[in-house]
Amino acid sequence: MIGRMAPANPWIFRQIEQYVESGSYVQPTETDRYQMIRTYFQMLLEEEMPGSEGKMKQFASWFTHGVPGGAGLRKAIYEAKSGTEILQNVESFFEAKLALATTSQ
């Protein structure tokens, strides 16, 4: 069951460890999500793997689950025509959210 959750929540193993140690765990931040999805997508683009755009679209759905405004990002990703365009959509989305969060503090 844990393995099934790992694609949608790659932080689950860290959270289990935290829970065992303290009885609570930390939810991933938007920065954590951004870094995870960006790193993964960059690796797919660098490797030029066949079907990488499909993988990016699949993982975008998992990684953005629960992110406010994530539905708009997923729509932009599914409409993208290339892996580079997908990564640009992710970067624009998260950089705008993170900039807004920084200015409101």
Side-chain angles (χ1 to χ4, degrees):
M1 295 305 285
I2 293 170
R4 288 181 152 190
M5 186 62 188
N9 181 6
W11 304 274
I12 194 165
F13 300 105
R14 177 182 69 190
Q15 290 172 331
I16 291 169
E17 181 180 14
Q18 290 171 345
Y19 187 80
V20 168
E21 291 176 0
S22 67
S24 64
Y25 59 90
V26 177
Q27 290 289 342
T29 65
E30 288 191 1
T31 301
D32 293 332
R33 289 182 187 280
Y34 177 45
Q35 289 173 345
M36 176 69 71
I37 196 169
R38 187 169 180 254
T39 299
Y40 182 72
F41 286 5
Q42 285 177 326
M43 288 186 326
L44 284 173
L45 290 174
E46 288 170 7
E47 294 296 321
E48 298 179 6
M49 298 178 67
S52 61
E53 286 87 6
K55 283 288 184 196
M56 292 169 89
K57 290 177 181 186
Q58 177 184 14
F59 274 82
S61 176
W62 291 337
F63 289 163
T64 59
H65 179 73
V67 172
L73 173 59
R74 287 188 294 278
K75 182 178 185 301
I77 288 171
Y78 285 113
E79 292 174 352
K81 305 291 186 230
S82 70
T84 302
E85 186 179 351
I86 292 171
L87 183 56
Q88 288 170 345
N89 288 335
V90 168
E91 290 174 339
S92 296
F93 175 83
F94 278 103
E95 288 173 8
K97 286 185 76 64
L98 296 174
L100 183 62
T102 302
T103 59
S104 65
Q105 290 180 353

